[in-house]
Every structure is written in C-alpha cells, then in structure tokens.
Amino acid sequence: MNPDQLLRDTLREWSEETPAPVGPDLAGRALRRRSRRRTATVTAAAALALLAGGVAVPVVADARHGDSTPSVAAPRTDDVLAREDESPPRHLVAAGDLAVSAYRTGGTRENSGPYARFSYDWYLYDAGKRRYEKTSWGDVDVAPGMKRAAVLERTLPAPRVGILDLTTGKVVRWIPLDHEAGGVSWSPDGERLAVTTYSGYPDIEAAPADRDTLPGRTGYYVIDVASGNKRYRPLPASIEGRTDVRWSRDGTRLADPAPTHGPYLAWYDLQGRPARTPPYEGIGTSDAGRSPDGRYYATGDGRTGEVKEVRTRRTVGDGFTGAPLAWTGDDRLLRWEGCGDDCADDRYERLVLTDPAGRKAVPLTGWRAYEGRGMWEPVITRR
C-alpha cells in the first residue's frame, strides 16, 4: 500500500468508526503524531530498584477460549507502579523495565499573526523526592537507566545542549551548537544524541496559505556524548513546525517524519546517507514494534492499534483505540487505552498495561484530556 492510499484509508476509517481528532492539519497529525513520542527500546545495562508505594492491581484470568487467538496470560502485576487516580501522574509510574521518566503538559495556544504558538511545561521524575517535579527546560529526554537527561533551555531554539545529572539535578556539561536546537533525543544505547535544529520556535502551526513563511527545521546533529564529537546534516527547509528526527529501535538509523520530498517517512544511516526502513518500523507500524521474543508485533496509525502474530500475520484479539507504546516483556504491552463511548473533555485516554490480546488491562494512570492543561505526553524510558 502506498502512502497516499494509507492516508486516505486512515482518514476514512476515522470517519466511519469514531470521531477523529479536531484541529488544523488533521492529515499531517495522523501521519506524524509519533514524532514527539520517545520510547527507549534497548534494555539499559543498569536498572533502578522499584520504589515503594506502588499499587499492584490484581487481574482475574479470562476463561474464554472460543476463538483461534493464542492463549495468553494476564500481565504480571508484581512489578507495577500504578497511579490510576493521577493524570498527569504525581508519583512514579512503571511496569517491569519501563517507567514514565518525564512528561510534558499542556499545549497552551497563543495566536501570533498568521501562526498559532504552543507552549509546554516539562516535568522530570525526582527519585529523591519520589515525585515528578516541574522544570524550566524547553525540551527534555531521559537516557536509558534514568540517571541522565538531555535538556534544552527554555527559549527555543537553543544554542547548546545540557547533560543533566538526575541524582544531583545539576547540569554537568554543556555541548555548544553552531545551529540552534529545538528537539533532543537519546539513542537506545544511551551513548549518542540526535538533536534537531530549527530556524525559529518549533511548536507552531499555520494555515496552508501561510506555511511558506513558517520558521522550520533546518537539520540535525548526531552527537557522541562521551567525546563531544558532533556530525551535522542539513535538511531541506521544512514548513511543518516541529518534526524532530527520531532513532530506530536498534539505534543504527534515524527517521525523518516529514521529508520535504518523497515518501511520508525517510530513513538515514548515522552518516546521513539514505537507508532502508528497519523491520517493523515505518508507516503503519507503532512505537512498540516487535515483542522481545519476536512472536508479536504492534501496528497502529497513531490513534488506533492492534497486535499481530509475526509467523501468521493474524490479529491477536481485537483492535483497540489507543497507540501501542512499548513492550515490557514478551507478552506485556504498554499502550494508550481510549475511553470509547465514555469520552468527555477531561476523559480521552489513559496508560494501561495489557496482554497481547488486549483482554486484560491494568490501568497505570488516570484519564488525560485531549487538549489543554489536562493533556500530557510521557517519555517512556528503560530503567
């Protein structure tokens, strides 16, 4: 299926099944919603011990065996820290080797001439205080292991990247940049950074007629954090607002979610040369990708998803409303769960832990709103 057909099918399915998200640039957001999601996909060498105070939610086994779906067990809950009544969460949310290490809230809209400018607040988990603390940073990503964060100063784009020690809360190093940055992302092994550069503030939108004058993305750096060595690759001018490059799950390639020409998604190797799409990544897939044992893979369009068997390509269980985010074990999937027929302004979707078939769901957070201060976007990190 080519990208144009995929886009048409996605929009048609939204209109037939459930109300589609409202707002400008619906088509672009349908294809690029994952550009702000960050999920580290390689297990970190060091792991943090579970903090006390989590809620282990019991799950009752399902006795239904009347279909061809493989038998699956309920997701284990002895290593789950659930905050079912908190949205955004105030205390650590975790399942297995995954944790919400940080999140951003809001998306306060300010109209500025032909543009709509959106501002956000970032919260980082403070292990000493055992809660998420509001920060003054303009962009944040947390390295696998949850010991360091990469930060950009509040006024974006920023002329340097900071390496923040999460134990002390102090920036231990600044990496200066020749091109100002609007987004930062750790590689899955926690050794490199992908830093996306912009000619102006990145979190803006404009009507189609005004997009030619929109400040846009200009390129990206790949930075070796230990040595400070930087490789910069310019990109053709982008007029799509924030379109951060992101890592492949194995850390060998980078994805451009909004190339100026060609397909809706382009891949490059670490030298900036065009590269093939990695297996189980790309358009029509999801952040979660393939399960660790290789038995399942998760697909999605940014708003709905399903899990399939790798061997047979059959769907396991039923499709669901909500995006798959990451696997924490061979048969446990962290994803968003939509509110179905019970939606309201402050009740849009929540984080859950499920089995592959989606029949056993352990709520991890309360419901988030679709927009405004009740909306929050997590950073999911391997601990």
Side-chain angles (χ1 to χ4, degrees):
M1 180 181 293
N2 63 39
D4 290 334
Q5 183 63 46
L6 173 64
L7 177 58
R8 288 193 294 270
D9 290 348
T10 298
L11 296 177
R12 185 181 66 252
E13 289 168 4
W14 280 3
S15 65
E16 292 173 352
E17 295 177 4
T18 56
V22 296
D25 195 20
L26 173 59
R29 287 188 293 128
L31 291 170
R32 296 193 307 277
R33 180 174 174 179
R34 285 185 291 143
S35 67
R36 285 299 301 169
R37 288 215 174 104
R38 296 174 178 142
T39 305
T41 53
V42 175
T43 303
L48 297 178
L50 285 175
L51 298 176
V55 180
V57 184
V59 181
V60 180
D62 193 334
R64 290 177 292 179
H65 299 290
D67 59 21
S68 59
T69 301
S71 177
V72 290
R76 192 174 76 256
T77 59
D78 58 342
D79 59 354
V80 171
L81 292 173
R83 314 294 179 182
E84 191 174 354
D85 61 343
E86 297 180 8
S87 179
R90 299 183 299 277
H91 305 92
L92 184 65
V93 173
D97 64 343
L98 296 179
V100 176
S101 59
Y103 59 83
R104 69 172 194 176
T105 62
T108 303
R109 181 185 180 115
E110 301 172 3
N111 291 323
S112 177
Y115 310 135
R117 178 188 175 104
F118 297 87
S119 59
Y120 300 90
D121 291 319
W122 277 97
Y123 290 75
L124 266 169
Y125 182 68
D126 186 317
K129 296 180 179 179
R130 296 192 175 188
R131 64 174 181 262
Y132 298 98
E133 290 286 312
K134 186 177 179 179
T135 77
S136 60
W137 303 115
D139 198 66
V140 172
D141 195 25
V142 178
M146 291 177 61
K147 299 293 182 64
R148 298 180 297 171
V151 296
L152 298 178
E153 289 164 296
R154 184 72 175 184
T155 302
L156 298 177
R160 58 184 182 172
V161 178
I163 305 300
L164 181 71
D165 185 326
L166 293 180
T167 301
T168 65
K170 304 294 185 181
V171 174
V172 296
R173 184 181 181 189
W174 288 105
I175 302 173
L177 305 172
D178 295 324
H179 306 271
E180 292 186 319
V184 62
S185 175
W186 285 96
S187 63
D189 60 9
E191 296 180 359
R192 292 156 296 169
L193 292 171
V195 179
T196 309
T197 61
Y198 292 86
S199 62
Y201 187 74
D203 293 304
I204 52 179
E205 288 184 359
D210 297 313
R211 286 184 181 172
D212 287 343
T213 61
L214 196 69
R217 185 190 59 189
T218 56
Y220 66 91
Y221 286 97
V222 175
I223 302 175
D224 181 89
V225 175
S227 67
N229 291 335
K230 302 186 290 285
R231 180 189 294 271
Y232 183 73
R233 182 182 188 276
L235 290 173
S238 168
I239 55 173
E240 298 293 338
R242 179 179 291 278
T243 48
D244 293 350
V245 299
R246 62 178 177 84
W247 293 93
S248 63
R249 277 186 285 275
D250 65 2
T252 64
R253 279 161 277 194
L254 288 162
D256 178 355
T260 304
H261 304 290
Y264 290 107
L265 186 66
W267 291 89
Y268 305 99
D269 65 17
L270 300 189
Q271 285 69 49
R273 299 171 300 203
R276 292 185 177 181
T277 301
Y280 302 99
E281 300 195 48
I283 294 174
T285 63
S286 72
D287 287 335
R290 196 172 183 176
S291 63
D293 64 358
R295 185 180 180 188
Y296 305 110
Y297 67 99
T299 68
D301 59 16
R303 188 170 183 268
T304 62
E306 58 186 5
V307 173
K308 295 178 179 290
E309 278 192 303
V310 169
R311 184 176 61 84
T312 66
R313 299 295 194 266
R314 290 187 306 180
T315 299
V316 178
D318 300 319
F320 46 82
T321 300
L325 298 179
W327 294 93
T328 176
D330 298 334
D331 56 2
R332 299 198 301 173
L333 179 65
L334 184 69
R335 66 172 176 85
W336 289 109
E337 177 184 64
C339 56
D341 295 331
D342 196 24
C343 287
D345 289 343
D346 59 349
R347 188 179 173 88
Y348 173 52
E349 56 187 3
R350 62 182 177 180
L351 280 180
V352 295
L353 179 69
T354 74
D355 62 277
R359 292 173 179 160
K360 321 289 193 305
V362 179
L364 298 179
T365 69
W367 299 93
R368 69 175 182 174
Y370 174 67
E371 59 186 357
R373 286 298 171 186
M375 175 64 175
W376 57 278
E377 192 73 39
V379 176
I380 308 296
T381 304
R382 301 279 178 190
R383 299 196 289 164

